[in-house]
Amino acid sequence: MKKIHPAFYVCAACAILLFTNMGLTVNSFSIYMSYLISICHYSNAQVSALTTVRSALSLISTFMAAYYYKKLGMKKGMFLSGIFVVMAFLLYSVADRYLICVLAASFAGIGYGFGTMVPIGIMLDRWFAIKKGTATGICTCITGLSTFGIPSLVARNIEKNSLSQTFRIEGIIIFFAVLLAFLLLKESPEKAGVLPYGYDRRDEEITKGKVRKNNEDYLYANNKNIGPLENLYVVCDGVGGNNCGELASKLSIKTFTKFVSKLEK
């Protein structure tokens, strides 16, 4: 049985994080808005402001993502972004005042900014030498699943139990999903001791040159007029593996430049 390439596990982890950090945090979260108004007695303006806070923090986090991942690394950074989302839902579950909801929206925005397309793009680029677009498309499509069935389940549990319990349950589910993604993620192909999916080792063998003690190449640079040309620059690559490659390249340039100099202007 053929072994599954680690890149597919990384793709699955990225899909899970997009589902939690984007799908559940943004796409399906709108179902909570009406209940925050009816149960918590917040105004439309207050609930709308939560979305604004989340969007603002996600934008700031996106701009800081490069520095964030440089300090933490991809695997730890992506896991922590998921924890921000978990904290957001848990804060919503215990919110007894509007300020806590604002803090929860801030955590949601940070998780969204640090844990969605920026790191996903980096990881898929690292792990897939081919079919990067397919992998990205799969991850993106998974987020759409959050709008199918999730809102109705959320509404049913809120009406049957409570708003705070629903936030808490979803936060716990997100935690285990993020934990699964963390276990599936691998920092890079180099650290995992494998090549990216679809990488052809022969390409490397073709382009990688041998290191020699002597330079067999020859460079000719002339900024003055030569024959019909205003200037002339030539690089001649010595034939590796044969004797006197440096002499062959030098003689080739000497012959060529002599020929050019005799051409009519």
Side-chain angles (χ1 to χ4, degrees):
M1 185 176 178
K2 191 174 180 180
K3 188 177 180 180
I4 298 175
H5 196 282
F8 293 101
Y9 294 115
V10 173
C11 184
C14 291
I16 292 171
L17 281 172
L18 273 183
F19 180 76
T20 57
N21 291 28
M22 180 185 289
L24 298 181
T25 306
V26 177
N27 296 353
S28 66
F29 191 82
S30 57
I31 188 65
Y32 285 104
M33 299 301 191
S34 58
Y35 291 104
L36 288 172
I37 294 172
S38 61
I39 296 177
C40 299
H41 306 294
Y42 297 139
S43 66
N44 287 320
Q46 286 177 310
V47 173
S48 179
L50 295 177
T51 303
T52 303
V53 169
R54 184 186 67 203
S55 299
L57 267 295
S58 67
L59 181 63
I60 294 171
S61 300
T62 300
F63 280 114
M64 295 178 61
Y67 177 80
Y68 171 83
Y69 283 106
K70 183 179 179 180
K71 290 295 183 182
L72 294 179
M74 298 304 299
K75 185 172 182 177
K76 291 180 181 178
M78 292 172 76
F79 176 71
L80 184 58
S81 72
I83 296 301
F84 277 119
V85 173
V86 173
M87 292 299 299
F89 277 85
L90 294 181
L91 282 171
Y92 275 123
S93 72
V94 297
D96 55 357
R97 65 190 70 180
Y98 181 71
L99 193 60
I100 297 179
C101 287
V102 172
L103 182 61
S106 301
F107 273 85
I110 294 171
Y112 177 86
F114 283 145
T116 51
M117 295 312 300
V118 172
I120 302 305
I122 294 173
M123 291 300 284
L124 295 182
D125 185 64
R126 283 184 180 181
W127 280 94
F128 287 86
I130 60 173
K131 297 185 178 180
K132 296 177 186 178
T134 302
T136 304
I138 291 172
C139 293
T140 305
C141 288
I142 294 297
T143 63
L145 296 178
S146 61
T147 60
F148 294 97
I150 301 295
S152 59
L153 289 174
V154 168
R156 189 181 307 170
N157 194 73
I158 292 174
E159 294 169 3
K160 184 178 180 181
N161 297 295
S162 67
L163 178 62
S164 61
Q165 186 199 72
T166 306
F167 274 126
R168 186 161 53 251
I169 290 173
E170 192 162 352
I172 293 172
I173 292 173
I174 292 173
F175 172 76
F176 284 107
V178 170
L179 182 61
L180 175 61
F182 178 76
L183 296 175
L184 292 173
L185 276 174
K186 294 184 183 299
E187 188 74 20
S188 66
E190 293 79 9
K191 290 187 177 181
V194 298
L195 294 172
Y197 175 74
Y199 183 85
D200 193 345
R201 174 69 80 174
R202 289 175 297 177
D203 294 338
E204 181 181 336
E205 293 172 351
I206 292 171
T207 57
K208 184 178 179 181
K210 294 183 178 180
V211 178
R212 304 182 184 279
K213 293 182 179 180
N214 61 314
N215 182 19
E216 298 188 355
D217 305 331
Y218 198 84
L219 170 66
Y220 175 85
N222 187 351
N223 294 321
K224 299 178 180 180
N225 293 336
I226 177 170
L229 304 178
E230 294 182 357
N231 49 55
L232 180 63
Y233 305 93
V234 184
V235 175
C236 192
D237 188 5
V239 180
N242 294 318
N243 294 328
C244 301
E246 66 278 8
L247 295 177
S249 60
K250 185 176 181 179
L251 181 60
S252 297
I253 285 185
K254 185 177 180 180
T255 304
F256 178 72
T257 54
K258 185 177 181 181
F259 170 76
V260 172
S261 66
K262 292 182 178 181
L263 293 175
E264 294 183 0
K265 294 184 179 180

